[in-house]
PDB file of all heavy atoms in Angstrom:
ATOM      1  N   ARG G 359      83.667  57.951 209.782  1.00 98.00           N
ATOM      2  CA  ARG G 359      84.712  57.355 210.626  1.00 98.00           C
ATOM      3  C   ARG G 359      85.515  58.379 211.410  1.00 98.00           C
ATOM      4  O   ARG G 359      85.760  58.199 212.576  1.00 98.00           O
ATOM      5  CB  ARG G 359      85.676  56.513 209.764  1.00 98.00           C
ATOM      6  CG  ARG G 359      84.996  55.373 209.052  1.00 98.00           C
ATOM      7  CD  ARG G 359      85.451  53.988 209.336  1.00 98.00           C
ATOM      8  NE  ARG G 359      85.589  53.562 210.662  1.00 98.00           N
ATOM      9  CZ  ARG G 359      85.633  52.269 211.026  1.00 98.00           C
ATOM     10  NH1 ARG G 359      85.523  51.323 210.108  1.00 98.00           N
ATOM     11  NH2 ARG G 359      85.775  51.924 212.265  1.00 98.00           N
ATOM     12  N   GLY G 385      79.253  57.227 215.204  1.00 97.00           N
ATOM     13  CA  GLY G 385      80.237  56.490 214.407  1.00 97.00           C
ATOM     14  C   GLY G 385      81.599  57.127 214.252  1.00 97.00           C
ATOM     15  O   GLY G 385      82.470  56.553 213.615  1.00 97.00           O
ATOM     16  N   TYR G 387      85.020  58.155 215.951  1.00 95.00           N
ATOM     17  CA  TYR G 387      85.807  57.870 217.141  1.00 95.00           C
ATOM     18  C   TYR G 387      87.158  58.569 217.092  1.00 95.00           C
ATOM     19  O   TYR G 387      87.985  58.343 217.942  1.00 95.00           O
ATOM     20  CB  TYR G 387      86.058  56.359 217.253  1.00 95.00           C
ATOM     21  CG  TYR G 387      84.882  55.569 217.749  1.00 95.00           C
ATOM     22  CD1 TYR G 387      83.779  55.322 216.945  1.00 95.00           C
ATOM     23  CD2 TYR G 387      84.867  55.078 219.047  1.00 95.00           C
ATOM     24  CE1 TYR G 387      82.694  54.591 217.399  1.00 95.00           C
ATOM     25  CE2 TYR G 387      83.795  54.353 219.517  1.00 95.00           C
ATOM     26  CZ  TYR G 387      82.712  54.116 218.693  1.00 95.00           C
ATOM     27  OH  TYR G 387      81.650  53.399 219.155  1.00 95.00           O
ATOM     28  N   GLU G 388      87.378  59.343 216.066  1.00 96.00           N
ATOM     29  CA  GLU G 388      88.726  59.862 215.898  1.00 96.00           C
ATOM     30  C   GLU G 388      88.721  61.246 215.258  1.00 96.00           C
ATOM     31  O   GLU G 388      88.004  61.490 214.280  1.00 96.00           O
ATOM     32  CB  GLU G 388      89.494  58.878 214.992  1.00 96.00           C
ATOM     33  CG  GLU G 388      90.987  59.063 215.011  1.00 96.00           C
ATOM     34  CD  GLU G 388      91.663  58.170 213.971  1.00 96.00           C
ATOM     35  OE1 GLU G 388      91.284  56.990 213.852  1.00 96.00           O
ATOM     36  OE2 GLU G 388      92.547  58.677 213.265  1.00 96.00           O
TER      37      GLU G 388
ATOM     38  N   ARG B 359      83.673  47.430 212.790  1.00 98.00           N
ATOM     39  CA  ARG B 359      83.416  48.526 213.727  1.00 98.00           C
ATOM     40  C   ARG B 359      83.623  48.126 215.181  1.00 98.00           C
ATOM     41  O   ARG B 359      84.259  48.854 215.921  1.00 98.00           O
ATOM     42  CB  ARG B 359      81.989  49.063 213.550  1.00 98.00           C
ATOM     43  CG  ARG B 359      81.735  49.624 212.180  1.00 98.00           C
ATOM     44  CD  ARG B 359      81.316  51.037 212.067  1.00 98.00           C
ATOM     45  NE  ARG B 359      82.084  52.049 212.678  1.00 98.00           N
ATOM     46  CZ  ARG B 359      82.027  53.337 212.331  1.00 98.00           C
ATOM     47  NH1 ARG B 359      81.249  53.722 211.351  1.00 98.00           N
ATOM     48  NH2 ARG B 359      82.738  54.222 212.956  1.00 98.00           N
ATOM     49  N   GLY B 385      90.352  49.582 212.393  1.00 97.00           N
ATOM     50  CA  GLY B 385      88.963  50.058 212.296  1.00 97.00           C
ATOM     51  C   GLY B 385      88.060  49.704 213.464  1.00 97.00           C
ATOM     52  O   GLY B 385      86.901  50.101 213.470  1.00 97.00           O
ATOM     53  N   TYR B 387      87.119  50.256 217.270  1.00 95.00           N
ATOM     54  CA  TYR B 387      87.356  51.193 218.364  1.00 95.00           C
ATOM     55  C   TYR B 387      86.542  50.838 219.596  1.00 95.00           C
ATOM     56  O   TYR B 387      86.532  51.570 220.557  1.00 95.00           O
ATOM     57  CB  TYR B 387      86.952  52.612 217.921  1.00 95.00           C
ATOM     58  CG  TYR B 387      87.953  53.276 217.020  1.00 95.00           C
ATOM     59  CD1 TYR B 387      88.085  52.915 215.692  1.00 95.00           C
ATOM     60  CD2 TYR B 387      88.780  54.281 217.516  1.00 95.00           C
ATOM     61  CE1 TYR B 387      89.006  53.529 214.869  1.00 95.00           C
ATOM     62  CE2 TYR B 387      89.696  54.909 216.708  1.00 95.00           C
ATOM     63  CZ  TYR B 387      89.809  54.527 215.378  1.00 95.00           C
ATOM     64  OH  TYR B 387      90.717  55.142 214.569  1.00 95.00           O
ATOM     65  N   GLU B 388      85.843  49.732 219.525  1.00 96.00           N
ATOM     66  CA  GLU B 388      84.900  49.479 220.607  1.00 96.00           C
ATOM     67  C   GLU B 388      84.715  47.986 220.849  1.00 96.00           C
ATOM     68  O   GLU B 388      84.562  47.202 219.901  1.00 96.00           O
ATOM     69  CB  GLU B 388      83.556  50.107 220.210  1.00 96.00           C
ATOM     70  CG  GLU B 388      82.573  50.200 221.339  1.00 96.00           C
ATOM     71  CD  GLU B 388      81.207  50.666 220.855  1.00 96.00           C
ATOM     72  OE1 GLU B 388      81.137  51.574 220.002  1.00 96.00           O
ATOM     73  OE2 GLU B 388      80.211  50.088 221.308  1.00 96.00           O
TER      74      GLU B 388
END
Side-chain angles (χ1 to χ4, degrees):
Chain G
R359 299 240 49 161
Y387 283 74
E388 195 187 317
Chain B
R359 299 239 53 160
Y387 283 75
E388 193 187 319

